[in-house]
Structure formats: C-alpha cells, structure tokens
Amino acid sequence: MRYVQLGDVPVKHHIQFKQPDGTLYKEQLFGTQGFSGRSSTMYHIHLPTCVSEIERIGERRLEAVPDDMLKHRHLKTRSFQAQGDAVSGRIPLCFNNDVILAYARTTDRMSYFFKNADGDEALYIHQGSGRLESMFGTLSYTSGDYLIIPRGTIYRLVEETVDTEIFVVESLSPIEIPRRYRNEYGQLLEHAPYRERDIRVPETLETHREDGRYKVRILARGIFHDYYYDFHPFDIVGWDGYVYPWAFNIQNYQPITGLVHMPPPTHQTFEAHNYVICSFVPRMLDYHPDAVPAPYHHSNIDSDEVIYYANDKFGSRRGIEEGSVTLHPSGIPHGPQPGATEASIGVKETKELAVMVDTFHPLQITKQALEVEDPTYAMSWKG
Ligand SMILES: [Fe+2]
C-alpha cells in the first residue's frame, strides 16, 4: 500500500496539535500488526476511549454441519431470503481458522456504525452502489468493487438503494496485494494484473463535530458489543499512514492469457495467511491452434476451492446461476463437467466473472449453507 494523507495533521508526529479552542487534538496510532506492521496516525476531537454505555449483544454464531460428508457442493445463494443490512444480513457459508465466507442481500440500510476487530474484510459488491463511510473518510463504491476494510476500522455502508448483494470474505490475517506483484519499494510491477491507478482510497474526509448518541457495533473475540458514544465516531480532523480502507474493481483486473490454459495463480488478486482471493474476468482464451481452453482436472489435495459466480457464464460449469457458490473440497479431484472440455475447443473468449477463494486448510460448511444446496451437484459429472 502507499502512503496517504487526508485532512490536517501536524508537521511531526507526537507534537502539540491544537484545536481552535486551544485544547489538544487526541492522537491515535492505528495499526493492525502491533508496532511493526503498517499503521496510520489520526487526530480526534474527542478521546477515542470515551464511551458512555456498553451493552453485550452476544456471541457470533458459526454453526458447522456435524458429521459433514466429503463431496463437491453447489449453493444457490439467491434462494436465501434477503434480510437485514450489510452487517446483520450476512449468512455464513463456510469457515476455518483463517477465513469466514458469507453472503448478504440487504433489505435495510445500516442505522449504526460497525467495527470488526477480529478480521479484515473484503466485501465483493456483486450488486449495488453507494458510499463506504469510515473514520478514514468516504469512498464511493459500485458493482464489481472489492472493498478492503482493515480490522478495527469504524465504518458503515450507505447504500443508494437496498438490495445490495455482497460476497463477504472475513480474514483473520491482513488482506494484502501479492508480494510477487511488488518490488522492494512496494510499487506494483509491470507484470502485475493491476496498478496503483486502479486502487481507490478515501476521497474526502468530513469531520463530524456534532454531539448525540451514536452506536458502534463491535465484533471482537467472537462477541458482539454495542458501544455508545456521546459524539460522532468520525471526529477525525486528519490522518496519515498506510492503513485505510480501499477499493479495487474487478473489471480493472488485467487478465493474463496464454498460448495454452493459464493456471489459477494468474487470476490471483489478493493474498492473506493460508488462503488467496482470485478474480475470473472476461478475457481472450488460449491461442494455440490445438488449445483446450477449459481447465484440466486437478487434484487440489491440499486446498479447498470456493467460487462465487457473479454471472452465469463459466466455461467449465453447468447449472450455475448468478450468485451461485461452488465448494470443491481438498482430497478429491475436480474439473469440467462432461462435455465442457469438448465445447471449449475453438472458443476465442469467455465472459465469465467470478471470485475464487482457495484455502490451504479445510473449510467447514455451515448449517445455513445447506439450506440452499443443490443436492444433485456432487453427481453431476456422471453425465
Ligand atoms: Fe480448480
């Protein structure tokens, strides 16, 4: 990530920085990996510690299916009833100790602020537009955006219209740009599938000076608490550093194409500890005269593969709908369904649009996910 400054900051860290009334602004160092990782320094009007009421809401519920069976799965997420807002409406689909994958389709706007202190979030906005308002400022978003929100960021989505559809990746480790795309200075290299100009950072910082009663729902240690403050949580006059929410639109992913089929790492978009996030975007297909553009079967013995389909065009899959999710677990091979390989021969381009999460440790599927499972999928290779 690059250095960003928004609003007013003093000429040096940790020196007097006074408000118009002569009192000091309250400085806060905001880091997500102790004092050795990336951080930002922000200046509040009020003490960020000054809470007026705390209410324990309860534990988050992640219910794995007991006695789960090893098999390929297809989930039709659009069969879920739309519910709640961009936080309360999330339905967990699968999880392990590194990542939680969820789906949301909203009926309500957020009437409160949210802070996920347990994980970074990558919100893939399948459908919807609006503003991501945060303590770091405001960032507009639209369909196809990945919104990357570092843990601890107080934010809310202000949707232009509800019915926002989100594939949620909640990460127990920081979500990063792959190291192999960057040089020793952190700059994106020529072979990277996107560049700095494709990354959007908070555009404006509005300092809220109003008093009132403001609720911040905090998820920390797996427990939700509501914190109430007598002042608006976006009371920051300025900040600078390397930690902030940012956006990248999947349409700006520059696909890497080749003479023959290119492997999944060419689709890699982000990395985190023990999993990766990849983007499948419309692109030209392989140009060898005898190329077989469909993927070969592969045995991902040590990783689970989850694909979220942002449209219903995916060369190797049949019966996929927009909003479908497939889960191909480690331990058994997966690949194109019967006929898909032959059908791909001679095809020059694909319109597919999908987000893939490959985890290096097994995922557990949730009880909710099975409510929308297509029970025929595991046997669909039988022809
Ligand atoms: Fe695969």
Side-chain angles (χ1 to χ4, degrees):
M1 298 310 298
R2 58 189 160 93
Y3 172 83
V4 173
Q5 182 196 322
L6 215 52
D8 298 325
V9 298
V11 293
K12 285 188 75 65
H13 292 80
H14 320 322
I15 64 171
Q16 295 176 38
F17 182 35
K18 290 184 177 173
Q19 308 197 39
D21 67 1
T23 61
L24 290 172
Y25 284 114
K26 283 65 176 174
E27 187 181 38
Q28 181 187 3
L29 180 71
F30 186 95
T32 63
Q33 289 177 297
F35 284 93
S36 53
R38 289 182 284 127
S39 66
S40 288
T41 302
M42 53 186 62
Y43 297 88
H44 295 267
I45 295 171
H46 305 278
L47 289 171
T49 41
C50 186
V51 61
S52 61
E53 188 184 333
I54 301 171
E55 188 179 351
R56 190 185 197 277
I57 302 303
E59 292 181 17
R60 89 181 287 162
R61 285 173 49 235
L62 284 173
E63 290 183 273
V65 173
D67 306 321
D68 189 22
M69 188 179 279
L70 176 70
K71 64 174 190 172
H72 295 322
R73 296 181 188 278
H74 173 204
L75 313 175
K76 297 183 173 186
T77 61
R78 285 193 168 178
S79 296
F80 284 123
Q81 196 80 24
Q83 60 170 38
D85 58 48
V87 172
S88 68
R90 297 177 186 181
I91 301 168
L93 303 174
C94 50
F95 63 95
N96 65 14
N97 289 330
D98 302 308
V99 66
I100 301 164
L101 304 177
Y103 171 83
R105 187 161 195 168
T106 64
T107 54
D108 306 314
R109 288 190 173 87
M110 289 178 69
S111 59
Y112 54 92
F113 301 91
F114 179 58
K115 170 160 80 173
N116 189 338
D118 280 347
D120 289 31
E121 296 182 351
L123 307 182
Y124 175 73
I125 307 293
H126 178 175
Q127 184 171 274
S129 58
R131 300 189 310 280
L132 168 65
E133 294 184 349
S134 80
M135 57 207 254
F136 294 99
T138 299
L139 184 54
S140 55
Y141 69 84
T142 190
S143 299
D145 274 345
Y146 290 101
L147 300 177
I148 310 296
I149 305 170
R151 71 197 56 204
T153 301
I154 299 173
Y155 77 89
R156 67 177 173 188
L157 290 194
V158 181
E159 300 164 63
E160 277 173 5
T161 55
V162 292
D163 203 26
T164 297
E165 193 173 17
I166 312 171
F167 179 56
V168 180
V169 180
E170 191 181 325
S171 180
L172 280 299
S173 59
I175 298 169
E176 306 278 10
I177 295 171
R179 182 68 188 86
R180 62 193 162 88
Y181 294 163
R182 296 177 283 153
N183 65 18
E184 62 183 304
Y185 308 102
Q187 184 179 13
L188 284 160
L189 290 161
E190 285 292 323
H191 72 264
Y194 53 91
R195 301 292 294 275
E196 283 81 0
R197 293 180 201 177
D198 298 315
I199 291 171
R200 288 145 37 222
V201 302
E203 297 140 6
T204 54
L205 178 70
E206 187 181 349
T207 304
H208 288 268
R209 300 172 185 278
E210 57 268 34
D211 294 334
R213 180 175 163 84
Y214 297 94
K215 181 169 98 175
V216 179
R217 177 155 293 182
I218 299 175
L219 173 60
R221 305 163 185 230
I223 302 167
F224 289 102
H225 285 82
D226 284 347
Y227 268 51
Y228 291 90
Y229 297 90
D230 294 336
F231 52 88
H232 196 293
F234 301 161
D235 69 335
I236 290 164
V237 294
W239 63 270
D240 71 339
Y242 285 73
V243 175
Y244 44 82
W246 52 282
F248 169 72
N249 195 283
I250 196 169
Q251 300 288 355
N252 288 326
Y253 192 88
Q254 301 158 209
I256 296 164
T257 59
L259 184 68
V260 294
H261 184 82
M262 301 301 284
T266 61
H267 304 280
Q268 189 182 352
T269 312
F270 308 116
E271 70 182 6
H273 184 60
N274 283 337
Y275 78 94
V276 297
I277 301 175
C278 302
S279 303
F280 289 89
V281 299
R283 62 191 183 280
M284 303 306 289
L285 290 171
D286 322 334
Y287 45 85
H288 188 286
D290 293 325
V292 178
Y296 32 84
H297 289 78
H298 42 288
S299 296
N300 49 331
I301 285 298
D302 58 357
S303 65
D304 281 16
E305 176 201 270
V306 175
I307 301 181
Y308 178 84
Y309 301 85
N311 66 22
D312 60 0
K313 299 170 182 59
F314 204 81
S316 57
R317 296 268 88 77
R318 274 201 327 243
I320 294 304
E321 305 173 349
E322 193 172 338
S324 283
V325 168
T326 54
L327 170 56
H328 301 138
S330 59
I332 48 176
H334 66 265
Q337 281 153 323
T341 300
E342 293 78 5
S344 75
I345 293 172
V347 177
K348 299 297 180 203
E349 61 178 318
T350 175
K351 301 287 188 194
E352 66 193 26
L353 192 64
V355 175
M356 181 170 79
V357 177
D358 276 358
T359 68
F360 307 142
H361 292 294
L363 290 160
Q364 291 184 283
I365 195 155
T366 63
K367 287 181 178 176
Q368 295 104 309
L370 293 196
E371 293 170 15
V372 296
E373 185 185 15
D374 166 9
T376 67
Y377 184 68
M379 302 298 161
S380 62
W381 282 264
K382 209 157 180 281

